[in-house]
């Protein structure tokens, strides 16, 4: 495996093999398989789960990680082209990326959406520029429009929970959040669930419809797999018979990059906070998923997070396990 | 071993076995015994020695560490219950702790005393709340009221120095410090020395007596071991025949959380600074110990720190060695 | 090997053996040779390449690193002697260094020039004080006046590029930079190239001649090896027949520590920026080297950095490889 950037680059069979490998490595550790191997991690955006799940994943296979993070003295990393660097920035990304990559056998890169230009973010323009500087295997650790490691972990989590692929019903719900968030997680989740063959409903308030590019990619995946993709702003109809609700938040595409305008069409705090009342006509054992970080009392109530519906800790742990599978496939030479 | 939170949870025999194991691992390295094992470290308070002594300890046994520290983008970690998280904090400790724990085979947690409420700190209320979220083996890396890794290292250091357990005389002395410091180290040290069977004298100015809960716990340990615990504000009588002085500083329990009031009863700078003059009637080879960081010219003079009495570098190195023993016992399955 | 502080401490034969070992370890990994070994890294100055090239180097040999860096809560590390530490600084370097060293099998230290007193910096006064506190093998990761790991990497890079030692011509050129930079890299590079037996020309504007101590040390090396050292402010004569240009920037020794005075004698931005026009009478395949970070459009143009002359990424990767050789020699016991 030369890169892991998008679940869409893999067949359903290949994804199932990765999930199976994650399960095998959880059951039967291989603590030497990556001995002497190094994964470079470049975080241009902050991280908690992604950082330590990758560190732990490499360590459990006998390898190591080298981390460059925003907390380090790299705030001045320049990325503009053709610039005369006579200001604060001491280093350009055109040198930093290949150098960091050269110290690893593979590189993981995280760069959140800039949320300035919708087309740039939908096309993952920044991440494509970054990886064009890399001549090693690479992993997308969340870009403007994708988060494939999260989606692979979620696929495994859905399997673990016994939620059927064909005929399984997942609601991807917008929830309240104080900030306009990127499309990476909702886009990746929607595509993943559709590719898994599920009937997916996007539940969101007016003004927060996902962009066509995201919906169309998911619909194509559904065509492949026999799943379906619909959208609504009605909670009750969305939740009808649902087996899992995946909560997230995202910006209004209509007012992209304009928080003030978005705030004017945004529902009130508390109106889109997942609570037990949402589950009235869902499957009785309908589960709750979230990629975290999650805001208590804002996106979801304590009752749900602390109750039996929540699968979020197992979901987070699956990040480590599927990344072990990725790294095994990428670096073990087998 | 499922947890390491308090020396009081262990028998004297068990402690001696841990010290012996530390010694064995120093003499005969076991660089593969923890291969593929991961220790998660969560620092809610800063660290130098603790961080790298744990990292080195795991590495020397073939394992790895994953670190979440205050320098990282986790400043907004929320810990209050029932909160509506619509402010800066993006993540709650109720998710962060189990997630971090899930990436490790064990977790170490550091959380200094808040120094707002004396009873809360004496009861280690915050640390107990944090570990209630963990379903893995855990290690106290310094809480409001305990620092068991330091105490185990100090036990070994006293052994290394040839200071007798039964009949050995240790002075735990308050020293000047610009800030009111937590009770964790004095409480842990006093209990450790008493449990080791030593005759311990707490030397402190008026107004800086250790709280009853701390003194009583140490007296109980002394009853078990045949040691004794006394207190005084008279340096000369305290130092009479002492074989080791353990310097530290702590807040006034009388004015807990009120620095201004404490400053009014505090001795003058220089009056409680350990110097060669203190050792007039001590054993001629009386040694100096300190957990560090230590303030030169404030808590102790350069002459002592740079002279033959000082055992502090060996004491710090013992942190690594005893933690190797702990981790070996906790994670090797043997 | 007990320390690696200066190429001048090694014979040419020993340096060639280190380069050969670096090459062997690149071709034939030894992922277990340093298992259980720990390298402590103390950064008193920031780092990107040095940090992760050392981490990767240790990891590839099966060892580990523990890092103390300026990003951590150590900003208050005191270094003055005889001080009464009643201010912000909580820890003195006299304790911090031996403690950090005690957790490793070796220690690497970085401390940039203070640029207050020229003689202090030329004599590497601070670094000498720091290492006087260490009783372990140590590595200079860039001090006021040396950067031996960079020079060893550069030696290997020159070999890799096929640039002859005897009779090879290298230009060490000053370039524009907004800040007065230390002499460490130019001093180390000049000495390395002279010791390798090359004909070295220092190209710099008036007022930016390297101090006599630096020039004389390089001339002595040239005497040993059969190389030569000259200096000029004329680009065309310097570049005549050159096979490699090594760009860097450094402070004016005439106005050391006085940026305002230096700025008055400094050439204009753009006048000392390496560009294709510089290479008119150089060897046709004359290469460009730089230790990085490098400022685009200021020290060198995009055209050079992105073109076929540039060897800087390979040069940076050689940092990792030669450090593997150092660490292997220092810690493997073979």
């Amino acid at each position: 495996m030369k890169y892991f950037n998008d679940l869409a680059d893999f067949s359903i069979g290949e994804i199932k093999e990765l999930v199976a490998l994650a399960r095998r490595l959880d059951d039967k550790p291989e603590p030497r398989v990556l001995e002497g191997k190094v994964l470079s991690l470049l975080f241009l955006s902050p991280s908690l789960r992604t950082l330590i799940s990758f560190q732990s994943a490499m360590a459990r296979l006998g390898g190591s990680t080298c981390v460059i993070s925003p907390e380090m003295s790299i705030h001045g990393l320049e990325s503009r082209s053709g610039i005369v660097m006579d200001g604060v920035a001491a280093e350009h990304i055109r040198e930093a990326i290949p150098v960091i990559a050269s110290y690893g056998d593979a590189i993981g890169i995280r760069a959140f959406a800039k949320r300035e230009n919708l087309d740039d973010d939908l096309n993952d323009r920044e991440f494509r520029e970054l990886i064009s500087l890399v001549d090693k295997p690479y992993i997308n650790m969340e870009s403007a429009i994708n988060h494939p490691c999260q989606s692979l972990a979620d696929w495994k989590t859905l399997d673990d929970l016994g939620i059927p692929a064909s005929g399984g019903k997942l609601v991807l719900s917008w929830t309240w959040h104080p900030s306009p968030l990127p499309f990476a997680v909702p886009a990746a989740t929607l595509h993943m669930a559709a590719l898994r063959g599920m009937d997916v409903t996007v539940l969101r308030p007016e003004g927060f419809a996902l962009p066509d590019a995201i919906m169309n990619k998911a619909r194509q995946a559904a065509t492949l797999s026999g799943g379906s993709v619909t959208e609504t702003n009605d909670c009750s109809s969305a939740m009808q018979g649902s087996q899992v609700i995946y909560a997230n938040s995202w910006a209004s595409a209509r007012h992209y990059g304009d928080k003030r305008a978005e705030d004017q069409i945004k529902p009130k705090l508390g109106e889109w906070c997942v609570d037990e009342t949402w589950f009235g006509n869902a499957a009785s054992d309908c589960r709750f998923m979230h990629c975290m970080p999650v805001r208590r009392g804002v996106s979801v109530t304590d009752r749900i997070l602390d109750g039996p519906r929540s699968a979020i800790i197992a979901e987070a742990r699956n990040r480590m396990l599927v990344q072990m599978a990725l790294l095994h496939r990428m670096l073990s030479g087998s």
Side-chain angles (χ1 to χ4, degrees), chain A residues 94-126:
Chain A
R94 289 188 67 90
E95 278 73 56
I97 298 249
V99 167
I100 293 166
S102 80
Y103 297 143
D105 299 285
I107 185 170
I109 300 181
R110 162 168 286 197
F112 288 173
K114 290 191 183 298
R115 276 177 289 127
E116 292 164 0
N117 180 298
L118 180 58
D119 278 341
D120 282 353
D121 287 345
L122 289 175
N123 290 313
D124 232 2
R125 190 177 154 196
E126 185 190 11

Side-chain angles (χ1 to χ4, degrees), chain A residues 228-258:
Chain A
S228 69
V229 174
T230 56
E231 54 183 330
T232 178
N233 60 6
D234 182 65
C235 181
S236 176
S237 68
M239 291 295 287
Q240 174 73 41
S242 69
Q243 288 157 305
V244 61
I245 177 168
Y246 196 110
N248 205 252
S249 193
W250 54 85
S252 168
R254 195 187 290 171
H255 299 296
Y256 204 66
D258 184 351

Side-chain angles (χ1 to χ4, degrees), chain A residues 57 69 209:
Chain A
S69 77

Side-chain angles (χ1 to χ4, degrees), chain A residues 115-185:
Chain A
R115 276 177 289 127
E116 292 164 0
N117 180 298
L118 180 58
D119 278 341
D120 282 353
D121 287 345
L122 289 175
N123 290 313
D124 232 2
R125 190 177 154 196
E126 185 190 11
F127 191 78
R128 285 176 199 275
E129 284 177 7
L130 297 174
I131 58 175
S132 74
L133 301 168
V134 171
D135 63 352
K136 290 274 175 69
Y138 66 85
I139 296 171
N140 180 329
M141 301 200 297
E142 189 175 343
S143 64
I145 202 58
N146 226 324
H147 198 352
C149 299
Q150 183 65 50
S151 288
L152 189 58
D154 292 338
W155 185 302
K156 178 173 183 300
T157 305
L158 291 165
D159 287 359
D160 293 350
L161 294 173
I163 293 169
S166 176
K169 181 160 183 208
L170 180 144
V171 173
L172 170 65
S173 180
W174 188 90
T175 64
W176 208 87
H177 192 284
S179 310
L181 296 189
F183 290 119
V185 172

